[in-house]
Amino acid sequence: MSFSSDLHQNLFQLYERYVGEPNSRKDVYGYWVFILGYVVGAAGVFTFVVGYAGDTGSYTLIRISGVVAATGLTLCLFGIVLMLPVRKRGIQASVVGLAISLAGVVFFGYAYPNNWRGFGVDYSVEVIVTYTAGIGIIAGVTALVPILTGQKGMFVEEEGATEDPPILTGDATEGAQFAVFRDEHGDWTWNVLHLEALAGSDDSAVTRPEAKEGIERVKSQISSAGLMELTTSAFRLYEDRDGTWQWALARDDGSIVGTCAGQFDERDEAENSVSFLKDRGPKADVIEIEDAAFTYTEERDRWYWKLIDDERTPLAAGEDGHQTQERAEEAARTFAERFDRARLLDIEHVGVELYERDGGWTWRFVDDADAVVATAEDTYGSRRDAEEAAEALLPELESAAVTVAGEPTYEHYQSGEEWRWRLVDEAEHVIARSLDGVTDHADSERSTEAFQANARDADVVEIEDAEYEVFPSGWELTYDETDDLPAKAGEQAVSTDGGTVAEAGDGDAPPEWQWRLVTDDREIVAASNEPHESPESASAAIERVREQAAEADLIEFENAAFQVYEADDGEWRWRLIDEDGNVLADSGQEHTSRSEAAQAMMTLKEEAPDAELLEIETAAFELFVNEDNEWGWRLIDEAGKLVAEDPATHPTRGAARKAMNRLLEHLDSNIRTMDRAIFQTYPAEEWHWRFVLPTGETVAVEGESHPTRDELVDSLDSVRNAAATANDYTIGDVAVQLYGSSEWRFRLLDRDREEIADSTDSYADRATASATVNTLTTHADEAPIFAIEDAVIRLGDEGGWSWDLIDRDREVIASGVSSAPTKDDAVSEIETIKQLASIAGRVDFDVASFELVADQDDHWQWRLLDKDGRTVATGTEVHDSNAAARDAIESVRSLIEAASILEIDSVSFELHSAEDEDGWVWQLVDKYGSTMAESTQTYESRTDAREAMNDVKAHAPEGWITFTD
């Protein structure tokens, strides 16, 4: 029962219990509206009084309490009107008054206080007039009750009345009553009345007013009712209250055997249904389904199969139609075989499918909806090779860097045991890379940091053959983080926001300077052996080297040697030096002549007989061998002071001599102060560059060469910008790159930037593509790897879990007919179908077929199906067994064959033989096919039944109504 029906019944019961017997339903509703108005009005007054008593009075409180109280008064008056014996026209007038007064209440809630009594527009008069007008209408109806009152019933129960006879209480169908009355002389006399129950209602009413309404409806229609005599079974064809047409199959005793399974919009459709039943029903076979069965239907010249269970619930259906039923049957058998072997494709987030392509095997990513996300570029010779490639890729994806094409990027990657890096510009070109590999990833990062910090301000330098480079000793880049450019050595870097400044150099001490002679291929020919205070002093030292080297003799020794030399003050001295040029002993005093110094030296030479004797009159080159038997050279001035040395060692004396000669070849090279990093350009078939820090370390080389120097120089602007703004990523064996503009895609790249796989679809924005990539990288390690041998079962979640059986080309072979609320339910259904499909038989629905079905209580009914398996008619009677239901079908066949068609378009009496006994009965049926009343007894003859029916028809319209408890 619905909520409204429950409420209706409860209100009537409470009224009857605590108030009394209502004459009509408006008495009940009027009473409860009055109570509601009283409660609402009291609540409004209480709110106002308590609010002011609590000293919380405000305009809002007044407005709320006023609205509530006025609404309660209106409802009280309207409830009183409903309880009075007011005619329908008065009720309608009261409803108008109710609407007007409630409008006044709403108007007050809007106007008060801003537009009330001198404030704002002042709608106070309008509000009062509207409200009082509505109240006046309701009160006017109440005051005019004597005019608007209708007639009351003619039979009213008097006090002291005797108990009702059994016939009035429904305990008997016949009885007698003494009627006492005054005769024409004023004396009392009485008659004995014979009372007989001629008819009874077919249903019951919840309340007395409803029962009274039902009686009044019978009384108003019974006089115009026609007569239909049922001598055989019949189809009752009638229009329902909602305007649809239906039919029912009745026996000759009026009992209903079966009804149509649906409703029809047109009368002709209902007639066609009846005609189908009469034509096909008597010869229809009985079908039964055990466990499951395949059915076959023809639609638009194509045959389709469907798998149903024993309750005829569809479980699976084929996707494609077939030219003949035989081919549909073959497709159903193939489905059963493939479905039994098919793997359930249960992908939580992402999976890897192996498939054949171009005569080989490859792989692709699919998402949880089985949509292809990305496809591999390579093709492999076997499925196992493709599987191994996917297995190697998946663990790497979990930690893969995600880069964005069009954004400059530093990519650090490992090659063997060494770390390298490359700089990729907006056009995806590698424009710079590391020169050599390093063993530590941190060293690779420091290299890119140095390139990034210095590239924008680096000079462009070309070395013809060789040049002297004067550079700060212990150079280290320091600059304020808010400044765009690094500071030159020895200079201050000025903060752009007025903050602190930083100075290049070692702490607060001024930087020291050194020099080196380098060739165009960065070979260091010579280098200073001590720091200098300034670039100028370092340049002066280079000039001294030039002078000394130009006049220097070549001295070669392998062991220690004695030297006699003239000091700066003109005095002569001697010293003992080892083969590395280290001073082992010194004269300790000055001599006035060479011979005097030589004589002092000879005294010591007796102690070192193997030491050679060197006499220095000018600067000299010394070739020497060290402890590792490596050779080198050094330049000693005439005072015996080391002014330049070989920065490297050589395996042979000849190689050392050759290195010394290179100094002499480039002795007059230009001097350049190298206080910041440089782009050094050089030709080698095409033009190249290397990025050199002041320390002489080459941290980057070009990514691609250029045919001319001008083109190379022009390209450096883009290199500077990219180097300064590039993001920094560490690339493993695989990286993911987002690319696009209006639409976005992604691709997988290996460490050499070769494409591994590319996305198959594009995305509307970068965020969507990034979300897909995040799902891929997050769940790749747990992704299942599978191959579709023949077919797989794919799950889908679109408003409910469903499944499809698909082949390797993603073509749908069959699908589930219904969806499951949860994934577990769908999996359970799939397992059930696997069990049933293999044992399912074949069911052919003829043009019409009877089917027996049982409910949960094992009660059986029949239904008639058409060739498409649709239910046409259902039995209304239940049977205790399958056999009893089968027997009932045999009876129904004969009833259908003999049934006539009756169209019910008005209230009618039906006269027919009694069920299961001899005699006649009648019933009153309305135009909707519902029984309004029926005879209370069975009559021996048709004539007796007709006479009783005529008595009811003649006297019932004027009959009085009495109620007994």
Side-chain angles (χ1 to χ4, degrees):
M1 184 179 294
S2 65
F3 172 77
S4 59
S5 299
D6 291 339
L7 178 63
H8 174 78
Q9 183 173 354
N10 292 334
L11 292 178
F12 269 82
Q13 291 177 350
L14 289 173
Y15 187 92
E16 292 173 353
R17 181 175 181 181
Y18 295 107
V19 180
E21 181 66 33
N23 290 325
S24 65
R25 65 174 62 192
K26 76 181 185 67
D27 290 351
V28 177
Y29 285 118
Y31 174 77
W32 289 115
V33 170
F34 175 79
I35 295 298
L36 176 63
Y38 174 79
V39 172
V40 172
V45 175
F46 180 80
T47 301
F48 180 80
V49 173
V50 171
Y52 268 94
D55 200 18
T56 59
S58 66
Y59 290 123
T60 302
L61 175 65
I62 296 174
R63 178 169 59 183
I64 294 174
S65 59
V67 168
V68 174
T71 302
L73 175 60
T74 303
L75 294 176
C76 280
L77 288 177
F78 184 70
I80 293 173
V81 171
L82 292 178
M83 289 188 290
L84 291 174
V86 179
R87 292 180 179 175
K88 184 177 181 181
R89 193 169 299 171
I91 299 296
Q92 293 173 343
S94 297
V95 171
V96 174
L98 175 67
I100 294 174
S101 61
L102 291 179
V105 171
V106 174
F107 198 3
F108 171 76
Y110 164 75
Y112 188 85
N114 296 326
N115 297 292
W116 190 265
R117 302 284 292 178
F119 293 96
V121 182
D122 191 0
Y123 291 121
S124 56
V125 174
E126 289 84 348
V127 171
I128 294 173
V129 169
T130 301
Y131 183 72
T132 54
I135 293 294
I137 293 174
I138 301 174
V141 172
T142 306
L144 296 176
V145 165
I147 300 175
L148 302 176
T149 301
Q151 292 291 332
K152 299 185 66 175
M154 297 180 65
F155 183 86
V156 179
E157 183 180 19
E158 298 179 0
E159 290 191 28
T162 58
E163 292 185 357
D164 297 313
I167 189 172
L168 294 182
T169 61
D171 295 329
T173 58
E174 283 188 300
Q177 182 177 358
F178 287 90
V180 183
F181 57 93
R182 291 180 184 272
D183 60 12
E184 56 186 5
H185 302 291
D187 298 326
W188 289 94
T189 185
W190 54 268
N191 290 332
V192 177
L193 306 180
H194 175 244
L195 303 180
E196 180 182 0
L198 298 179
S201 62
D202 188 56
D203 55 4
S204 59
V206 176
T207 64
R208 292 186 180 184
E210 289 178 352
K212 184 177 180 180
E213 289 177 4
I215 295 173
E216 295 292 348
R217 186 171 66 253
V218 171
K219 289 171 63 177
S220 64
Q221 298 184 22
I222 197 170
S223 60
S224 62
L227 173 62
M228 292 190 299
E229 185 172 342
L230 299 181
T231 58
T232 62
S233 59
F235 285 100
R236 289 178 179 171
L237 189 65
Y238 59 92
E239 186 179 11
D240 205 350
R241 290 179 175 84
D242 59 2
T244 60
W245 286 83
Q246 300 182 44
W247 59 258
L249 177 62
R251 292 190 180 94
D252 55 1
D253 61 6
S255 59
I256 304 300
V257 180
T259 60
C260 58
Q263 299 173 336
F264 305 95
D265 295 331
E266 302 291 339
R267 178 181 180 278
D268 291 344
E269 295 177 359
E271 284 188 350
N272 291 337
S273 177
V274 171
S275 298
F276 174 82
L277 203 67
K278 285 186 66 65
D279 292 342
R280 304 296 181 181
K283 299 179 182 179
D285 294 329
V286 180
I287 61 171
E288 289 185 83
I289 300 175
E290 295 182 4
D291 297 324
F294 285 103
T295 64
Y296 306 92
T297 57
E298 186 179 13
E299 298 178 10
R300 297 184 299 276
D301 298 329
R302 305 288 291 179
W303 284 87
Y304 296 84
W305 63 263
K306 186 179 294 184
L307 178 66
I308 61 176
D309 62 12
D310 54 0
E311 296 181 353
R312 289 197 61 256
T313 303
L315 302 177
E319 186 71 15
D320 300 324
H322 305 274
Q323 293 181 350
T324 63
Q325 183 175 352
E326 289 74 15
R327 292 189 178 180
E329 293 177 2
E330 183 181 351
R333 289 193 298 270
T334 303
F335 160 77
E337 296 173 359
R338 299 174 84 172
F339 197 83
D340 184 59
R341 297 194 305 265
R343 168 186 174 180
L344 177 61
L345 191 59
D346 186 11
I347 299 176
E348 291 285 346
H349 301 284
V350 66
V352 180
E353 181 191 0
L354 308 177
Y355 68 102
E356 289 185 278
R357 183 184 67 185
D358 300 333
W361 284 83
T362 188
W363 55 265
R364 59 190 173 197
F365 284 113
V366 295
D367 61 13
D368 54 356
D370 196 40
V372 179
V373 178
T375 304
E377 290 295 316
D378 293 336
T379 302
Y380 304 89
S382 66
R383 182 169 64 185
R384 179 55 188 151
D385 292 340
E387 183 180 9
E388 288 180 347
E391 289 174 344
L393 172 69
L394 293 178
E396 298 296 328
L397 271 177
E398 186 176 7
S399 59
V402 181
T403 65
V404 181
E407 296 180 359
T409 303
Y410 289 106
E411 296 180 349
H412 299 268
Y413 61 96
Q414 202 167 10
S415 178
E417 298 297 326
E418 295 183 330
W419 283 92
R420 296 179 179 271
W421 62 265
R422 55 182 169 244
L423 174 62
V424 183
D425 66 4
E426 297 91 337
E428 288 299 292
H429 296 150
V430 178
I431 58 175
R433 64 177 70 246
S434 56
L435 175 63
D436 298 311
V438 293
T439 57
D440 192 352
H441 179 257
D443 292 336
S444 179
E445 289 183 328
R446 282 192 289 270
S447 178
T448 56
E449 290 171 0
F451 186 47
Q452 186 173 41
N454 291 276
R456 194 184 291 276
D457 198 41
D459 295 327
V460 180
V461 173
E462 180 183 354
I463 299 176
E464 293 281 343
D465 290 316
E467 280 188 357
Y468 291 99
E469 292 178 345
V470 177
F471 61 94
S473 177
W475 179 89
E476 181 179 355
L477 178 70
T478 58
Y479 60 95
D480 188 88
E481 63 182 6
T482 61
D483 194 6
D484 289 336
L485 299 177
K488 293 183 180 181
E491 296 182 357
Q492 289 184 340
V494 182
S495 171
T496 57
D497 61 355
T500 60
V501 297
E503 182 173 313
D506 185 11
D508 296 330
E512 294 179 330
W513 294 81
Q514 291 186 337
W515 62 266
R516 59 178 171 254
L517 176 61
V518 297
T519 62
D520 55 356
D521 58 359
R522 300 305 301 176
E523 179 187 355
I524 300 177
V525 177
S528 57
N529 64 319
E530 60 182 12
H532 304 276
E533 294 181 355
S534 65
E536 291 75 15
S537 61
S539 298
I542 294 172
E543 292 298 338
R544 287 197 300 273
V545 170
R546 285 174 172 172
E547 295 173 1
Q548 299 289 339
E551 299 175 356
D553 294 329
L554 176 60
I555 303 175
E556 300 181 56
F557 61 95
E558 299 181 7
N559 301 310
F562 286 98
Q563 287 183 333
V564 177
Y565 62 95
E566 185 179 9
D568 293 338
D569 56 3
E571 299 293 334
W572 289 87
R573 301 174 65 91
W574 64 264
R575 63 186 172 193
L576 176 63
I577 60 176
D578 64 11
E579 62 274 14
D580 294 328
N582 299 317
V583 177
L584 302 177
D586 191 271
S587 60
Q589 61 180 347
E590 297 177 346
H591 304 276
T592 58
S593 64
R594 179 194 297 268
S595 59
E596 184 179 345
Q599 184 177 0
M601 178 188 66
M602 293 305 294
T603 303
L604 182 62
K605 190 175 185 305
E606 294 177 358
E607 301 297 328
D610 295 332
E612 300 181 15
L613 178 61
L614 302 177
E615 184 174 343
I616 300 176
E617 296 180 354
T618 62
F621 283 104
E622 294 179 351
L623 295 179
F624 61 92
V625 63
N626 61 18
E627 295 177 351
D628 298 327
N629 291 323
E630 294 286 326
W631 287 84
W633 62 263
R634 53 178 171 250
L635 178 62
I636 307 297
D637 63 10
E638 65 274 10
K641 183 179 180 181
L642 179 64
V643 294
E645 62 182 347
D646 194 346
T649 58
H650 310 279
T652 63
R653 181 195 301 267
R657 183 190 297 272
K658 186 176 180 180
M660 180 192 69
N661 290 334
R662 288 177 61 82
L663 168 63
L664 297 175
E665 292 175 8
H666 302 295
L667 199 59
D668 295 327
S669 297
N670 295 328
I671 301 174
R672 171 172 47 81
T673 299
M674 189 173 175
D675 53 3
R676 63 179 64 195
I678 63 169
F679 285 99
Q680 180 193 337
T681 63
Y682 63 95
E685 294 185 0
E686 291 192 311
W687 282 86
H688 307 265
W689 60 260
R690 59 173 66 95
F691 189 78
V692 185
L693 299 178
T695 59
E697 178 187 3
T698 299
V699 296
V701 296
E702 82 289 338
E704 55 185 12
S705 59
H706 299 270
T708 67
R709 185 178 186 278
D710 290 342
E711 291 181 82
L712 182 145
V713 173
D714 291 341
S715 70
L716 288 179
D717 287 338
S718 63
V719 174
R720 296 176 196 271
N721 293 331
T725 60
N727 297 316
D728 197 86
Y729 296 94
T730 299
I731 305 299
D733 288 337
V734 62
V736 185
Q737 185 184 68
L738 301 173
Y739 68 96
S741 55
S742 59
E743 292 186 344
W744 285 82
R745 302 170 66 93
F746 68 89
R747 56 191 167 211
L748 308 185
L749 305 176
D750 64 13
R751 64 173 66 253
D752 297 324
R753 297 187 60 77
E754 295 293 331
E755 189 170 298
I756 301 173
D758 192 13
S759 59
T760 54
D761 293 327
S762 58
Y763 303 89
D765 50 56
R766 175 174 167 179
T768 306
S770 182
T772 303
V773 169
N774 182 62
T775 301
L776 184 65
T777 55
T778 303
H779 302 285
D781 196 31
E782 61 193 46
I785 301 176
F786 65 94
I788 302 178
E789 292 284 352
D790 180 37
V792 294
I793 302 169
R794 178 179 63 192
L795 285 175
D797 182 15
E798 297 179 1
W801 288 89
S802 59
W803 62 264
D804 294 318
L805 181 67
I806 60 173
D807 61 16
R808 63 178 59 190
D809 296 324
R810 290 302 192 280
E811 296 294 333
V812 178
I813 302 170
S815 302
V817 178
S818 60
S819 59
T822 66
K823 181 178 178 181
D824 290 340
D825 291 336
V827 173
S828 177
E829 180 181 330
I830 289 171
E831 293 301 322
T832 300
I833 294 174
K834 282 190 173 185
Q835 296 173 5
L836 295 178
S838 59
I839 61 174
R842 167 180 169 172
V843 172
D844 287 330
F845 291 106
D846 203 347
V847 178
S849 305
F850 282 104
E851 181 185 27
L852 299 176
V853 292
D855 59 18
Q856 294 180 347
D857 298 327
D858 204 27
H859 292 156
W860 291 81
Q861 285 179 289
W862 61 264
R863 56 190 176 193
L864 186 70
L865 312 176
D866 64 12
K867 65 178 182 178
D868 297 324
R870 294 189 295 262
T871 301
V872 177
T874 57
T876 57
E877 300 172 327
V878 296
H879 308 278
D880 294 333
S881 65
N882 181 284
R886 280 181 176 273
D887 294 340
I889 290 176
E890 296 302 323
S891 173
V892 168
R893 284 197 179 100
S894 60
L895 290 176
I896 292 174
E897 188 172 14
S900 58
I901 300 177
L902 301 177
E903 181 176 345
I904 302 176
D905 54 4
S906 63
V907 178
S908 303
F909 281 102
E910 288 184 356
L911 187 63
H912 49 76
S913 59
E915 182 182 6
D916 298 333
E917 59 181 297
D918 295 334
W920 291 80
V921 294
W922 62 264
Q923 60 184 9
L924 182 65
V925 181
D926 65 12
K927 65 177 182 179
Y928 303 114
S930 300
T931 301
M932 303 173 66
E934 59 186 6
S935 61
T936 56
Q937 58 183 296
T938 302
Y939 300 92
E940 293 183 358
S941 65
R942 176 178 176 279
T943 301
D944 293 339
R946 178 183 284 274
E947 289 179 356
M949 182 183 67
N950 289 332
D951 288 341
V952 171
K953 184 175 182 180
H955 299 293
E958 301 300 327
W960 42 263
I961 304 173
T962 181
F963 289 94
T964 58
D965 292 327

